[in-house]
């Protein structure tokens, strides 16, 4: 049985999901094309060695429809022999894409895989695919699928998490991200050329360096009107011990929508020998799990707990955790339940500050984790993300 090694992990900057965002003029295929060729050049990679490209993408419509993994490979001019698969497990999609690639290498099906994700939220907005489960309230409740903000406020209400505590997590994310950017810690970023102006986009755009405790406190709850539409009454009927739903999440302590793409080069030992490169790490284990779908975003914690249990590890055994900040309350619950110290968690900020390009986020976090493990000379790391409906995925990586 082969071992799935991580040879490289690169990403674009995360830019604002707005028409004036740094990457908004590029189609998803154009963005991925630049990443593919950067991966090729950095590793002296012969693309003919790649068996398949697997990408996560959540909103698979318009420019991101029709199997973007396949179409982006063809657009790039890479060999037609390379297969393409696009996966959707909501916001953990690119972690699952990486796991699929690792499984194919472990089984000996492929020698090399390129896995990651893409989400151009300025061009293909969230929910623009008009899925019935997000447009038909009665059908959604039958499926127990709620919008993410409702789940986050439910978690806060169940856990007794206050607005002040949520804002403190958001402020910490902003401050850590700003420090990391100023110190050049995000070494997995590949500069992207704007085809219209030939300017380079090489920095994450979503960090708000003016964020303060006071500015966060002034923001209005983002999901109270949604609760008043009948969601709060439904949740209270499902959790009879709750007296009310506390709406503590705002634009300031929620993930920032963003554009980005990310790719990871996976391969067996023979690939490193063929390219004369050394692996950065290997994927030691993976886990997927589903938690309470009405809490929406606690699958990240369930997947982490399952992963640690399967590997007979405890939190002190892990050097760093890179965890999807799927709203502030879910981060606080994660830390409480796992007794996770803050100096091991998202030490360079999370998606509240840096942006959350849904289908690309997991692979981006993997690259950030590797960057920091190398900077601090650490050995074991966990990357985990939550998706909608309680889903979650996690990877345990070990530096080579």
């Amino acid at each position: 049985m082969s071992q799935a090694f991580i040879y490289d992990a690169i990403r674009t900057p995360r830019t604002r999901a707005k028409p004036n965002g740094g990457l908004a003029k590029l189609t998803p295929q154009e963005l991925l094309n630049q990443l593919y060729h950067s991966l090729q050049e950095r590793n002296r990679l012969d693309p003919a060695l790649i068996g398949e490209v697997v990408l996560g993408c959540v909103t698979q419509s318009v420019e991101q429809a029709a199997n973007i993994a396949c179409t982006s490979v063809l657009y790039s001019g890479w060999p037609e022999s390379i297969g393409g698969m696009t996966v959707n497990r909501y916001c953990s999609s690119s972690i699952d894409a990486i796991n699929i690639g690792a499984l194919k290498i472990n089984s000996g099906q492929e020698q090399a895989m390129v896995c990651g994700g893409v989400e151009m939220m300025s061009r293909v907005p969230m929910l623009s695919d008009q899925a019935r489960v997000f447009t038909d309230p009665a059908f959604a409740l039958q499926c127990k699928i709620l919008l993410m903000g409702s789940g986050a406020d439910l978690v806060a209400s169940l856990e007794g998490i206050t607005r002040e505590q949520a804002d403190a997590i958001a402020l910490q994310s902003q401050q850590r991200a700003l420090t990391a950017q100023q110190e050049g810690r995000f070494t997995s970023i590949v500069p992207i050329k704007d085809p219209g102006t030939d300017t380079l986009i090489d920095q994450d755009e979503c960090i708000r360096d003016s964020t303060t405790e006071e500015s966060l406190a002034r923001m209005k709850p983002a999901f109270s009107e949604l609760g008043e539409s009948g969601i709060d009454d439904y949740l209270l009927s499902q959790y009879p011990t709750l007296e009310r739903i506390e709406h503590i999440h705002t634009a300031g302590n929620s993930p920032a929508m963003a554009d980005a793409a990310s790719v990871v080069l996976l391969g067996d030992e023979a690939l490193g020998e063929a390219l004369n490169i050394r692996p950065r790490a290997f994927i030691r284990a993976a886990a997927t799990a589903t938690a309470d779908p009405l809490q929406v975003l606690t699958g990240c914690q369930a997947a982490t707990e399952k992963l640690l249990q399967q590997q007979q590890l405890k939190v002190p055994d892990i050097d760093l955790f890179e965890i999807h900040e799927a709203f502030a309350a879910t981060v606080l619950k994660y830390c409480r339940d796992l007794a996770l110290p803050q100096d091991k968690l998202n030490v360079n900020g999370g998606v509240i500050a840096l942006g959350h390009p849904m289908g690309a986020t997991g692979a981006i976090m993997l690259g950030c984790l590797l960057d920091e493990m190398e900077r601090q000379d650490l050995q074991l790391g966990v990357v985990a993300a939550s998706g909608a409906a309680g889903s979650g995925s996690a990877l345990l990586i070990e530096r080579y």
Side-chain angles (χ1 to χ4, degrees), residues 93-207:
S93 295
S94 56
I95 290 181
D96 288 281
I98 294 166
N99 188 27
I100 289 169
L103 290 170
K104 291 199 171 206
I105 290 166
N106 289 342
S107 66
Q109 290 184 55
E110 301 292 352
Q111 180 184 39
M113 300 280 294
V114 172
C115 304
V118 64
E119 205 81 40
M120 294 295 291
M121 300 180 75
S122 63
R123 302 177 70 96
V124 187
M126 182 173 65
L127 306 182
S128 62
D129 52 351
Q130 293 292 298
R132 183 185 175 191
V133 77
F134 293 121
T135 59
D136 182 338
F139 182 70
L141 293 182
Q142 184 177 349
C143 298
K144 292 191 173 181
I145 290 185
L146 303 179
L147 289 172
M148 287 63 77
S150 296
D153 281 342
L154 173 62
V155 169
S157 303
L158 290 169
E159 298 292 322
I161 293 169
T162 67
R163 167 71 181 271
E164 291 73 22
Q165 290 171 323
D167 284 350
I169 283 289
L171 182 59
Q172 175 179 274
S173 184
Q174 295 285 351
Q175 291 173 337
R176 288 181 171 183
L178 182 61
T179 298
Q181 186 177 68
Q182 291 172 339
E183 295 183 358
R185 296 185 189 179
F186 297 127
T187 55
S188 54
I189 291 179
V190 170
I192 299 298
K193 182 180 288 188
D194 182 326
T197 63
D198 282 343
T199 58
L200 288 179
I201 301 98
D202 59 2
Q203 293 288 321
D204 292 314
E205 286 183 354
C206 298
I207 302 170

